[in-house]
Amino acid sequence: MRIHILTLFPNMLSGPFSESIIKRAVDRGLVEIVIYNIRDYTSDRHHVVDDYPFGGGQGMVLKPEPISAAVESIKNEYEVSVILLTPQGRLFNQMVAEELAGYSEMILICGHYEGVDERVREHLVTDEISIGDYVLSGGELAAMVVVDAVVRQLPGALGAEEAVREDSHSSGLLEYPQYTRPRVFQGWEVPQVLLSGNHAEIARWRREQSIIRTLRRRPDLLERADLSREERMVLERMKRGEE
Ligand code: 9D3
Protein backbone atom coordinates (compact mmCIF):
# COMPACT_ATOMS: atom_id res chain seq x y z
CA MET A 1 0.00 0.00 0.00
CA ARG A 2 1.13 3.52 -0.73
CA ILE A 3 -0.17 6.50 1.30
CA HIS A 4 0.51 10.05 0.11
CA ILE A 5 -0.10 12.87 2.60
CA LEU A 6 -0.52 16.49 1.49
CA THR A 7 0.02 19.07 4.23
CA LEU A 8 1.24 22.58 4.98
CA PHE A 9 3.05 21.24 8.04
CA PRO A 10 5.13 18.24 6.91
CA ASN A 11 7.21 18.35 10.10
CA MET A 12 4.13 17.43 12.14
CA LEU A 13 3.90 14.09 10.35
CA SER A 14 7.37 12.61 10.05
CA GLY A 15 7.90 11.74 13.74
CA PRO A 16 5.01 9.38 14.49
CA PHE A 17 5.62 7.31 11.36
CA SER A 18 9.19 6.56 12.41
CA GLU A 19 8.12 4.64 15.52
CA SER A 20 6.53 1.41 16.62
CA ILE A 21 4.07 -0.57 14.49
CA ILE A 22 4.02 1.86 11.57
CA LYS A 23 7.81 1.93 11.38
CA ARG A 24 7.87 -1.86 11.37
CA ALA A 25 5.28 -1.99 8.58
CA VAL A 26 7.34 0.51 6.55
CA ASP A 27 10.54 -1.47 7.19
CA ARG A 28 8.79 -4.68 6.10
CA GLY A 29 7.72 -3.01 2.86
CA LEU A 30 3.99 -3.34 3.65
CA VAL A 31 3.38 0.38 3.28
CA GLU A 32 5.14 3.37 1.82
CA ILE A 33 4.29 6.77 3.30
CA VAL A 34 5.19 9.85 1.26
CA ILE A 35 4.72 13.37 2.66
CA TYR A 36 4.28 16.43 0.44
CA ASN A 37 4.38 20.09 1.36
CA ILE A 38 1.48 21.75 -0.47
CA ARG A 39 3.54 24.96 -0.60
CA ASP A 40 6.04 23.20 -2.91
CA TYR A 41 3.27 23.03 -5.55
CA THR A 42 2.63 26.79 -5.78
CA SER A 43 3.83 28.52 -8.91
CA ASP A 44 3.82 32.17 -7.77
CA ARG A 45 6.82 34.05 -6.43
CA HIS A 46 5.52 34.20 -2.86
CA HIS A 47 4.33 30.58 -2.65
CA VAL A 48 0.83 31.60 -1.58
CA VAL A 49 -1.38 28.70 -0.49
CA ASP A 50 -4.45 30.53 0.86
CA ASP A 51 -6.61 33.56 0.11
CA TYR A 52 -9.60 35.55 1.36
CA PRO A 53 -13.05 33.97 0.92
CA PHE A 54 -15.17 35.24 -1.98
CA GLY A 55 -18.24 36.92 -0.50
CA GLY A 56 -16.32 37.98 2.58
CA GLY A 57 -16.13 36.45 6.02
CA GLN A 58 -13.54 35.43 8.56
CA GLY A 59 -10.43 33.37 7.99
CA MET A 60 -8.65 32.14 4.93
CA VAL A 61 -9.42 29.46 2.35
CA LEU A 62 -6.89 27.03 0.86
CA LYS A 63 -6.46 27.79 -2.84
CA PRO A 64 -7.31 25.02 -5.31
CA GLU A 65 -4.28 25.26 -7.64
CA PRO A 66 -1.49 23.95 -5.34
CA ILE A 67 -3.64 21.07 -4.06
CA SER A 68 -4.65 20.17 -7.62
CA ALA A 69 -1.04 20.32 -8.82
CA ALA A 70 0.09 18.06 -5.97
CA VAL A 71 -2.71 15.52 -6.58
CA GLU A 72 -2.07 15.46 -10.33
CA SER A 73 1.66 14.90 -9.78
CA ILE A 74 0.86 11.80 -7.72
CA LYS A 75 -1.89 10.23 -9.85
CA ASN A 76 -0.74 7.37 -12.07
CA GLU A 77 -2.28 4.66 -14.23
CA TYR A 78 -3.90 3.12 -11.15
CA GLU A 79 -7.00 4.24 -9.31
CA VAL A 80 -6.05 6.47 -6.40
CA SER A 81 -8.52 7.43 -3.66
CA VAL A 82 -8.31 11.10 -2.73
CA ILE A 83 -9.44 11.59 0.86
CA LEU A 84 -9.98 15.00 2.43
CA LEU A 85 -9.67 15.13 6.22
CA THR A 86 -12.35 17.55 7.36
CA PRO A 87 -14.81 18.05 10.24
CA GLN A 88 -17.56 17.61 7.64
CA GLY A 89 -16.48 14.11 6.58
CA ARG A 90 -18.04 10.76 7.46
CA LEU A 91 -17.09 9.57 10.93
CA PHE A 92 -14.02 7.37 11.04
CA ASN A 93 -14.34 4.01 12.81
CA GLN A 94 -12.95 0.48 12.63
CA MET A 95 -15.18 -0.39 9.66
CA VAL A 96 -13.85 2.58 7.68
CA ALA A 97 -10.30 1.62 8.67
CA GLU A 98 -10.89 -1.89 7.29
CA GLU A 99 -12.37 -0.44 4.10
CA LEU A 100 -9.32 1.80 3.54
CA ALA A 101 -6.98 -1.12 4.31
CA GLY A 102 -8.27 -2.68 1.07
CA TYR A 103 -7.00 0.21 -1.06
CA SER A 104 -3.60 -0.08 -2.72
CA GLU A 105 -2.99 3.67 -2.97
CA MET A 106 -4.52 6.75 -1.38
CA ILE A 107 -3.92 10.47 -1.02
CA LEU A 108 -4.78 12.12 2.30
CA ILE A 109 -5.28 15.89 2.13
CA CYS A 110 -4.90 17.74 5.42
CA GLY A 111 -7.08 20.83 5.52
CA HIS A 112 -6.34 23.85 7.65
CA TYR A 113 -7.52 27.39 8.23
CA GLU A 114 -11.26 27.79 7.82
CA GLY A 115 -11.43 25.39 4.93
CA VAL A 116 -10.55 24.27 1.46
CA ASP A 117 -11.92 25.74 -1.79
CA GLU A 118 -15.11 23.79 -2.55
CA ARG A 119 -13.94 22.94 -6.09
CA VAL A 120 -11.26 20.68 -4.59
CA ARG A 121 -14.06 18.73 -2.90
CA GLU A 122 -16.24 18.65 -6.00
CA HIS A 123 -13.66 17.65 -8.59
CA LEU A 124 -10.64 16.05 -6.92
CA VAL A 125 -11.82 14.45 -3.69
CA THR A 126 -13.44 10.99 -3.67
CA ASP A 127 -14.06 10.70 0.09
CA GLU A 128 -14.17 12.94 3.18
CA ILE A 129 -13.35 11.74 6.68
CA SER A 130 -13.67 13.24 10.18
CA ILE A 131 -12.14 11.47 13.17
CA GLY A 132 -14.69 12.75 15.69
CA ASP A 133 -16.85 15.57 16.93
CA TYR A 134 -14.22 17.89 18.37
CA VAL A 135 -12.28 20.75 16.79
CA LEU A 136 -8.68 20.16 15.75
CA SER A 137 -6.37 22.84 14.34
CA GLY A 138 -5.92 20.91 11.12
CA GLY A 139 -6.11 17.55 9.43
CA GLU A 140 -2.58 16.40 10.34
CA LEU A 141 -3.43 14.66 13.61
CA ALA A 142 -6.46 13.13 11.89
CA ALA A 143 -4.21 11.80 9.11
CA MET A 144 -1.96 10.17 11.71
CA VAL A 145 -4.95 8.51 13.35
CA VAL A 146 -6.21 7.19 10.01
CA VAL A 147 -2.77 5.92 8.94
CA ASP A 148 -2.20 4.16 12.27
CA ALA A 149 -5.60 2.44 12.24
CA VAL A 150 -5.27 1.40 8.58
CA VAL A 151 -1.64 0.23 8.63
CA ARG A 152 -2.14 -2.07 11.62
CA GLN A 153 -4.83 -3.86 9.55
CA LEU A 154 -2.35 -4.81 6.82
CA PRO A 155 -1.44 -8.50 6.83
CA GLY A 156 1.94 -8.87 8.53
CA ALA A 157 1.89 -5.48 10.28
CA LEU A 158 1.31 -7.00 13.70
CA GLY A 159 3.47 -9.66 15.29
CA ALA A 160 1.88 -13.14 15.42
CA GLU A 161 1.00 -12.74 19.09
CA GLU A 162 -0.52 -9.27 18.64
CA ALA A 163 -2.64 -10.51 15.75
CA VAL A 164 -4.02 -13.43 17.76
CA ARG A 165 -4.82 -11.08 20.63
CA GLU A 166 -6.68 -8.74 18.26
CA ASP A 167 -8.71 -11.71 17.07
CA SER A 168 -9.74 -12.80 20.53
CA HIS A 169 -10.80 -9.24 21.34
CA SER A 170 -13.09 -8.78 18.39
CA SER A 171 -16.11 -9.68 20.53
CA GLY A 172 -17.40 -6.11 20.38
CA LEU A 173 -17.07 -5.78 24.17
CA LEU A 174 -14.78 -3.53 26.19
CA GLU A 175 -11.77 -5.23 27.72
CA TYR A 176 -11.70 -6.74 31.19
CA PRO A 177 -9.50 -5.22 33.95
CA GLN A 178 -5.84 -6.28 33.85
CA TYR A 179 -3.41 -6.59 36.76
CA THR A 180 0.28 -7.40 37.16
CA ARG A 181 2.69 -7.67 40.08
CA PRO A 182 2.84 -6.74 42.91
CA ARG A 183 -0.14 -8.64 44.32
CA VAL A 184 -0.70 -5.80 46.80
CA PHE A 185 0.28 -2.23 45.94
CA GLN A 186 -0.23 0.43 48.64
CA GLY A 187 -2.80 -1.83 50.20
CA TRP A 188 -4.71 -2.19 46.89
CA GLU A 189 -5.24 -5.86 46.17
CA VAL A 190 -5.54 -7.80 42.95
CA PRO A 191 -8.91 -9.65 42.69
CA GLN A 192 -8.56 -13.02 44.38
CA VAL A 193 -9.97 -14.98 41.43
CA LEU A 194 -6.96 -14.06 39.27
CA LEU A 195 -4.58 -15.66 41.76
CA SER A 196 -6.66 -18.84 42.09
CA GLY A 197 -5.09 -20.71 39.16
CA ASN A 198 -8.60 -21.82 38.15
CA HIS A 199 -8.52 -20.97 34.46
CA ALA A 200 -12.19 -21.67 33.77
CA GLU A 201 -13.23 -19.41 36.63
CA ILE A 202 -10.79 -16.70 35.50
CA ALA A 203 -12.21 -16.79 31.97
CA ARG A 204 -15.75 -16.56 33.36
CA TRP A 205 -14.84 -13.60 35.61
CA ARG A 206 -13.15 -11.73 32.74
CA ARG A 207 -16.09 -12.27 30.42
CA GLU A 208 -18.48 -11.02 33.09
CA GLN A 209 -16.30 -7.95 33.76
CA SER A 210 -16.23 -7.17 30.03
CA ILE A 211 -20.02 -7.33 29.83
CA ILE A 212 -20.62 -5.26 32.97
CA ARG A 213 -18.10 -2.65 31.88
CA THR A 214 -19.64 -2.43 28.40
CA LEU A 215 -23.14 -2.08 29.88
CA ARG A 216 -22.04 0.76 32.17
CA ARG A 217 -19.76 2.66 29.79
CA ARG A 218 -20.79 1.82 26.23
CA PRO A 219 -24.28 0.32 26.21
CA ASP A 220 -24.46 1.26 22.52
CA LEU A 221 -21.90 -1.50 21.78
CA LEU A 222 -24.01 -4.27 23.32
CA GLU A 223 -26.52 -4.48 20.48
CA ARG A 224 -23.88 -5.75 18.10
CA ALA A 225 -21.68 -7.58 20.63
CA ASP A 226 -21.02 -11.30 20.29
CA LEU A 227 -23.01 -12.65 23.28
CA SER A 228 -24.43 -16.08 23.99
CA ARG A 229 -28.16 -16.55 24.66
CA GLU A 230 -27.43 -17.03 28.33
CA GLU A 231 -25.31 -13.89 28.46
CA ARG A 232 -28.12 -11.90 26.83
CA MET A 233 -30.46 -13.14 29.53
CA VAL A 234 -28.05 -12.21 32.34
CA LEU A 235 -27.63 -8.83 30.68
CA GLU A 236 -31.38 -8.18 30.62
CA ARG A 237 -31.52 -9.00 34.33
CA MET A 238 -28.61 -6.61 35.05
CA LYS A 239 -30.29 -3.83 33.05
CA ARG A 240 -33.52 -4.21 34.99
CA GLY A 241 -31.54 -4.24 38.25
CA GLU A 242 -30.05 -0.84 37.35
CA GLU A 243 -33.41 0.81 36.75
C1 9D3 B 1 -15.69 27.57 12.00
C2 9D3 B 1 -16.16 26.19 11.90
N1 9D3 B 1 -15.11 25.18 12.08
C3 9D3 B 1 -15.74 23.84 11.93
C4 9D3 B 1 -16.14 23.27 13.25
C5 9D3 B 1 -14.09 25.33 11.05
C6 9D3 B 1 -12.95 24.42 11.14
C7 9D3 B 1 -12.42 24.02 12.34
C8 9D3 B 1 -11.30 23.19 12.40
C9 9D3 B 1 -12.38 23.98 9.97
C10 9D3 B 1 -11.27 23.14 10.02
C11 9D3 B 1 -10.74 22.77 11.23
C12 9D3 B 1 -9.56 21.90 11.26
N2 9D3 B 1 -9.89 20.49 11.46
C13 9D3 B 1 -9.67 19.57 10.54
O1 9D3 B 1 -9.13 19.89 9.51
C14 9D3 B 1 -10.09 18.20 10.77
C15 9D3 B 1 -10.83 17.61 11.84
C16 9D3 B 1 -11.37 18.12 13.06
O2 9D3 B 1 -11.26 19.31 13.41
N3 9D3 B 1 -12.04 17.26 13.87
C17 9D3 B 1 -12.22 15.94 13.57
N4 9D3 B 1 -11.73 15.41 12.47
C18 9D3 B 1 -11.04 16.24 11.61
S1 9D3 B 1 -10.37 15.75 10.18
C19 9D3 B 1 -9.80 17.25 9.81
Side-chain angles (χ1 to χ4, degrees):
M1 168 182 284
R2 193 147 49 212
I3 304 175
H4 308 270
I5 307 177
L6 276 49
T7 172
L8 288 168
F9 302 95
N11 291 334
M12 273 186 78
L13 290 155
S14 18
F17 299 146
S18 322
E19 299 285 344
S20 181
I21 288 175
I22 299 189
K23 177 181 177 2
R24 199 168 61 194
V26 170
D27 292 344
R28 288 181 178 171
L30 303 174
V31 62
E32 184 183 347
I33 300 171
V34 195
I35 297 166
Y36 306 80
N37 189 339
I38 294 170
R39 203 173 292 280
D40 292 342
Y41 293 83
T42 53
S43 45
D44 62 307
R45 213 154 59 83
H46 294 105
H47 304 288
V48 176
V49 293
D50 58 349
D51 207 339
Y52 298 98
F54 276 125
Q58 289 210 323
M60 302 293 273
V61 177
L62 282 184
K63 293 166 65 61
E65 307 98 308
I67 295 177
S68 175
V71 167
E72 292 305 327
S73 80
I74 295 163
K75 278 191 182 165
N76 49 34
E77 66 260 48
Y78 307 108
E79 196 171 287
V80 184
S81 300
V82 182
I83 302 169
L84 179 65
L85 295 154
T86 163
Q88 300 162 56
R90 61 179 172 137
L91 263 187
F92 190 66
N93 60 22
Q94 191 62 25
M95 258 173 67
V96 178
E98 285 167 25
E99 180 189 329
L100 300 191
Y103 297 174
S104 59
E105 186 151 23
M106 69 184 110
I107 301 175
L108 302 179
I109 304 175
C110 304
H112 237 273
Y113 303 88
E114 291 309 302
V116 177
D117 188 288
E118 189 66 19
R119 291 166 291 185
V120 169
R121 273 209 173 80
E122 285 174 352
H123 302 289
L124 298 173
V125 165
T126 59
D127 197 0
E128 301 182 37
I129 288 177
S130 160
I131 62 161
D133 294 335
Y134 36 81
V135 182
L136 300 172
S137 311
E140 285 76 13
L141 283 165
M144 292 181 225
V145 167
V146 168
V147 169
D148 188 90
V150 168
V151 167
R152 67 201 310 291
Q153 298 292 317
L154 300 178
L158 302 181
E161 207 170 298
E162 290 164 320
V164 168
R165 235 184 27 210
E166 291 270 298
D167 249 20
S168 69
H169 279 293
S170 60
S171 62
L173 296 170
L174 298 181
E175 289 188 24
Y176 51 77
Q178 302 255 43
Y179 299 86
T180 186
R181 286 187 288 190
R183 201 173 58 72
V184 183
F185 170 62
Q186 295 185 4
W188 306 329
E189 290 186 24
V190 168
Q192 199 57 44
V193 59
L194 298 178
L195 313 172
S196 68
N198 184 334
H199 295 293
E201 203 167 319
I202 290 170
R204 210 156 53 83
W205 180 84
R206 285 178 166 167
R207 183 79 185 168
E208 180 185 282
Q209 291 294 312
S210 281
I211 295 172
I212 292 171
R213 185 167 272 193
T214 310
L215 176 64
R216 299 249 160 84
R217 300 185 184 186
R218 292 292 307 278
D220 57 298
L221 296 180
L222 283 172
E223 283 170 41
R224 271 187 266 170
D226 195 1
L227 295 179
S228 71
R229 245 164 40 104
E230 195 182 331
E231 285 170 335
R232 290 263 171 221
M233 270 159 55
V234 173
L235 189 64
E236 286 312 311
R237 232 174 291 140
M238 283 198 310
K239 279 192 203 164
R240 262 178 265 127
E242 292 198 344
E243 279 162 11

